[in-house]
Amino acid sequence: GITGRSNPNEGKTWPWDLIHQTDEIMPDPAAMPDDLMTQLIHLPPEKLKQGSSDSSYDDPISHLRQSLATTRGYTDLTLKLMNEERPQVMSVYYEGTDAMSHLFGKYQAPQLPWISSEDFAAYKDVVTEYWKWQDELLGELLAQRGPHTTIMILSDHGFRQGSERRKEDHFHIETADADHQPDGMIVLHGPNIKAGVKITDASIYDVTPTILYAMNLPSGRDMTGHPLTEVFSTEFLRNQPVQWVPTHETSERQRASGVVQNSESGEDLEKMLRSLGYIAGADGG
């Protein structure tokens, strides 16, 4: 994304030369349209300029611009690869919806007692309007799908809402996971998916087995999850039985004797993992 540009390019893409296309496609955060910014934040355009801080966590408006630029860039890159490669499986991760809920979720209605009326008026619609914009970009991807494409949209967690939101004067990476709720969401759509089926008790571990089943590939018996067969049509289930193999692993796990990582990259990665809730505690425990 935008915030990773200062780190070395090694390992960011495969094939390695794809990084050049990525650099060409990713837009400048400062170039995000004023009408989009004012749609999200109800302040004059002159107050929504890109900040000078190197850390987007220190400046929510800069973080918003960076999220918009990254999301727009990932969408354009995905559209390019869809049209040129037509891969059997394509996945795209949007981090902005998570970041917006962390940074601006406290301003949503209903107004919390510790949120000023001025801040509430300016930021109350950021999360909702960001999701609307994100859905528009999803629509761009869906418009390019083929007639036999199965779509899966998911989030691995939710967020506190209403009075359950925490009082926090400033965003702190170390405590960001406290804003999360354990229940996420999953939506499937496609020619072989039943309409109106409510998915219950699904796990994040069921995602890969379900993708494998949709592609007529076996799941490993050593996998924690299982295919969500209840979402597929009766005809599809009849013509394509669930297959299993003992494992997809091809060798015993090997631990590298020496791992070399750029210290700056490592710090940025740790900050991101903390913000997403995968690392908790100030000591990294």
Side-chain angles (χ1 to χ4, degrees):
I2 297 299
T3 55
R5 279 181 160 174
S6 61
N7 295 329
N9 286 335
E10 291 80 5
K12 285 183 179 179
T13 65
W14 189 92
W16 69 269
D17 56 351
L18 184 63
I19 190 66
H20 302 304
Q21 295 184 46
T22 303
D23 285 339
E24 293 172 358
I25 288 176
M26 300 300 282
D28 182 352
M32 290 296 98
D34 286 343
D35 58 347
L36 178 58
M37 291 295 298
T38 56
Q39 175 184 331
L40 276 69
I41 299 180
H42 306 312
L43 289 173
E46 59 269 18
K47 292 187 177 183
L48 300 177
K49 299 301 181 184
Q50 180 78 6
S52 59
S53 173
D54 292 333
S55 173
S56 60
Y57 294 109
D58 297 334
D59 182 355
I61 292 178
S62 290
H63 195 143
L64 172 58
R65 282 189 173 275
Q66 291 173 2
S67 291
L68 291 170
T70 298
T71 301
R72 179 70 261 177
Y74 279 5
T75 302
D76 292 339
L77 182 61
T78 302
L79 289 169
K80 177 180 176 64
L81 294 176
M82 286 175 64
N83 291 326
E84 294 180 355
E85 306 290 341
R86 303 304 292 182
Q88 288 183 291
V89 178
M90 170 165 278
S91 61
V92 56
Y93 168 60
Y94 290 116
E95 189 264 340
T97 51
D98 181 88
M100 292 307 103
S101 293
H102 279 305
L103 295 173
F104 298 100
K106 62 184 178 182
Y107 301 111
Q108 289 182 278
Q111 182 178 356
L112 295 170
W114 52 86
I115 299 297
S116 69
S117 296
E118 181 181 12
D119 285 344
F120 179 71
Y123 303 117
K124 62 184 177 68
D125 293 326
V126 173
V127 175
T128 300
E129 291 301 321
Y130 192 96
W131 272 96
K132 289 180 180 179
W133 179 72
Q134 177 70 81
D135 280 347
E136 291 178 7
L137 301 188
L138 177 61
E140 293 183 25
L141 300 183
L142 294 178
Q144 297 298 318
R145 73 191 188 278
H148 304 296
T149 304
T150 297
I151 307 296
M152 181 184 292
I153 304 171
L154 58 96
S155 170
D156 65 332
H157 66 81
F159 272 90
R160 293 175 180 267
Q161 296 292 312
S163 60
E164 294 182 336
R165 290 170 291 171
R166 301 178 303 126
K167 182 178 181 180
E168 191 176 39
D169 295 330
H170 301 284
F171 176 76
H172 297 288
I173 291 175
E174 288 78 8
T175 59
D177 59 312
D179 291 323
H180 294 171
Q181 293 284 50
D183 288 336
M185 52 81 70
I186 181 169
V187 177
L188 288 98
H189 180 271
N192 300 311
I193 303 297
K194 288 182 182 177
V197 174
K198 184 176 182 180
I199 303 172
T200 59
D201 299 324
S203 163
I204 195 72
Y205 295 110
D206 299 330
V207 173
T208 297
T210 302
I211 294 173
L212 289 171
Y213 174 69
M215 297 182 67
N216 197 22
L217 294 171
S219 293
R221 292 198 180 276
D222 57 347
M223 290 180 170
T224 302
H226 65 279
L228 298 173
T229 53
E230 65 270 25
V231 307
F232 292 92
S233 68
T234 302
E235 181 181 4
F236 190 77
L237 290 168
R238 182 173 58 249
N239 295 332
Q240 186 168 299
V242 176
Q243 305 173 69
W244 297 93
V245 293
T247 183
H248 283 290
E249 302 296 332
T250 57
S251 64
E252 294 189 9
R253 292 183 180 178
Q254 305 257 342
R255 292 189 179 272
S257 58
V259 178
V260 178
Q261 179 162 322
N262 176 277
S263 60
E264 184 180 351
S265 299
E267 291 175 2
D268 289 346
L269 177 61
E270 182 177 341
K271 287 181 179 181
M272 179 58 69
L273 290 173
R274 286 185 185 280
S275 74
L276 296 175
Y278 296 113
I279 298 177
D283 60 355

